Amino acid sequence: MIDLHLDGLTRRYGSTVALDDLTLDIGGGTITALLGPSGCGKTTALKLIAGLLDPTQGRVRFDSEDVTDVAAERRGAVMVFQDHRLFPYLTAGDNVAFGLRMRGVPRRERRREAQAVLERVGLDGLAERRPAELSGGQRQRVALARALVLRPKVLLLDEPLANLDAHLREGMRELILDIQRERELTTVVVTHDQEEAVVLAEDIALLFDGRLHQHGAPRTFFEHPATERTARFFGATNLVAGRRQGELVETALGPLRVPDGAPSGADVWVTVRPERLTVAGARGDDRQQVRGRVISSAFLGNRTRATVEVAGARLTIDVSDDALADVGPGTVLTLGLPEEALWSVPRDAPDETWGPEELAAVDGDPDPGVHRDHEPEGRP
Ligand code: ADP
Ligand code: MG
């Protein structure tokens, strides 16, 4: 199993900085997602790891070996492109065997190995078809087989699920995970889709504008986002404006005890995932409580979601039990804000480089302390 070390990797195209000083360690045999909106440098990073592109600055190491100047075909890393890049006039079998042919593997052995890998990806019986005679999902599998037949130690996948219909994604995801485990491959998956990153990867590296914003386990991006942009990219819906003063954050909801997240004196958003808010009384003695009025509620099958207006701010709460069964517009609720469920991030000015999904998430009044017509109760 090969550990990957990216050390200050930078790639410029003229005045465009496609990747800016990326330093990242990727554990051997793990699967890491490079995540971020279109144009943030993901494919560039993958090509630099593969050796298909030279960095402007920085080094790539596989374990302790510096491979920055090692040719792509000698690195032991194989990249599967988003658009497959299969040879249209070769059969699936010959597409898969092609790399072995380049390596001088005899014909009989090439066929046997290509056949075995095609079977492994669930395409036995389709070796004689040309790409045009295969579905998009099948072509994606041929591309994966073509990489696997080379027995790489590092597998680099560029948007492997992006061109697949929803019902094909699950199968492809399982296949990638199974093969990755079976072969103990160090795998880097590029995706712009946070859900895909979360279901595929043990670790996520989030890039914006060519720069690494946060690296860690998927859960940390939901619970402890480092920046506002990260919080919004991961779908944070509850953002309450405030100012941190030591351990407390002053907000329209009152002072809240919020662990860590931003320096004292900073303008922050207090964030809390909808499923981490509680209906006070239902789950005992949360010390931080606020009272608010239900604006809307909806039963979503496995949970109920309500939007509650509290002191001019809107909080969304999800519960999976029947604590919200009887609420409707106008119901007054006491919500618990457990300290360990709260987090704060420094407040940014919206940025012209934000993507539509981030801008769409911007709402509410960033000015704390207004519309404060009822006093919250049960404050710390
Ligand atoms: P992603 O894969 O995250 O969508 P890319 O790595 O493809 O992003 O591109 C990152 C940035 O570098 C983009 O601004 C893109 O336009 C630019 N870029 C990528 N390849 C080239 C190239 N060959 N020439 C000029 N600019 C490029
Ligand atoms: Mg790309």
Side-chain angles (χ1 to χ4, degrees):
M1 292 191 273
I2 301 251
D3 293 334
L4 296 184
H5 305 282
L6 313 182
D7 190 4
L9 268 191
T10 299
R11 172 68 201 205
R12 292 194 195 93
Y13 292 101
S15 61
T16 304
V17 186
L19 193 69
D20 192 1
D21 196 21
L22 175 64
T23 294
L24 189 62
D25 293 321
I26 294 173
T30 64
I31 179 159
T32 294
L34 291 181
L35 173 67
S38 178
C40 73
K42 305 179 297 294
T43 298
T44 300
L46 217 55
K47 285 182 177 169
L48 290 169
I49 299 170
L52 299 170
L53 198 61
D54 291 326
T56 310
Q57 265 165 37
R59 313 299 298 177
V60 179
R61 279 185 296 124
F62 286 8
D63 286 333
S64 58
E65 188 194 356
D66 189 326
V67 297
T68 318
D69 302 316
V70 174
E73 60 276 14
R74 302 185 53 210
R75 284 191 188 190
V78 180
M79 179 161 167
V80 179
F81 293 90
Q82 186 174 5
D83 56 2
H84 319 146
R85 305 198 182 174
L86 298 177
F87 299 113
Y89 301 111
L90 296 185
T91 62
D94 288 341
N95 263 289
V96 173
F98 184 80
L100 297 177
R101 192 167 132 200
M102 293 292 100
R103 286 183 178 177
V105 175
R107 185 183 169 82
R108 183 186 290 265
E109 198 178 325
R110 283 196 319 251
R111 292 204 140 223
R112 185 161 33 79
E113 292 199 20
Q115 187 57 42
V117 179
L118 279 171
E119 272 174 36
R120 180 62 194 88
V121 300
L123 293 180
D124 27 331
L126 300 182
E128 298 309 318
R129 298 240 190 125
R130 291 194 165 72
E133 300 163 332
L134 296 168
S135 71
Q138 290 166 338
R139 282 198 289 272
Q140 187 75 290
R141 284 167 189 254
V142 174
L144 180 62
R146 190 172 57 169
L148 292 173
V149 81
L150 298 172
R151 303 192 177 281
K153 299 198 176 68
V154 176
L155 181 62
L156 306 168
L157 304 171
D158 198 353
E159 306 268 7
L161 308 183
N163 297 322
L164 301 181
D165 293 340
H167 69 284
L168 291 175
R169 287 173 154 230
E170 180 62 12
M172 189 65 182
R173 177 181 94 86
E174 291 298 326
L175 181 65
I176 291 169
L177 290 175
D178 285 348
I179 288 174
Q180 187 262 338
R181 261 181 240 126
E182 221 165 272
R183 301 200 173 197
E184 301 185 320
L185 288 166
T186 305
T187 304
V188 184
V189 178
V190 154
T191 176
H192 65 278
D193 179 342
Q194 56 99 348
E195 273 183 46
E196 199 169 302
V198 168
V199 298
L200 272 171
E202 294 154 62
D203 253 333
I204 295 176
L206 178 64
L207 301 172
F208 288 120
D209 311 323
R211 288 187 146 265
L212 181 67
H213 267 233
Q214 192 164 345
H215 177 217
R219 181 175 289 276
T220 57
F221 288 83
F222 291 98
E223 296 185 346
H224 299 151
T227 63
E228 176 179 347
R229 213 171 165 190
T230 301
R232 292 188 187 279
F233 195 79
F234 274 77
T237 46
N238 291 323
L239 293 164
V240 179
R243 177 183 289 265
R244 178 173 275 284
Q245 303 289 0
E247 299 238 300
L248 296 175
V249 177
E250 294 292 341
T251 72
L253 312 181
L256 295 173
R257 190 170 290 279
V258 181
D260 232 343
S264 188
D267 285 333
V268 299
W269 294 108
V270 175
T271 67
V272 56
R273 304 297 298 183
E275 66 279 8
R276 299 292 302 277
L277 286 168
T278 62
V279 178
R283 268 194 246 168
D285 60 343
D286 303 306
R287 279 176 302 152
Q288 307 199 78
Q289 299 184 333
V290 292
R291 274 168 78 74
R293 197 173 292 277
V294 174
I295 294 173
S296 63
S297 71
F299 178 61
L300 302 174
N302 56 356
R303 65 204 153 93
T304 303
R305 163 165 289 204
T307 303
V308 181
E309 189 173 276
V310 185
R314 288 190 175 194
L315 294 176
T316 300
I317 175 169
D318 282 347
V319 300
S320 53
D321 54 22
D322 56 5
L324 291 177
D326 300 325
V327 310
T331 307
V332 173
L333 276 185
T334 301
L335 299 181
L337 295 94
E339 180 180 340
E340 68 280 4
L342 301 183
W343 187 248
S344 65
V345 293
R347 232 184 305 156
D348 297 337
D351 190 303
E352 67 205 17
T353 62
W354 283 12
E357 71 280 4
E358 296 167 81
L359 286 170
V362 181
D363 57 7
D365 186 342
D367 190 15
V370 292
H371 315 304
R372 197 168 169 182
D373 42 25
H374 33 223
E375 279 295 310
E377 47 173 56
R379 288 189 264 135

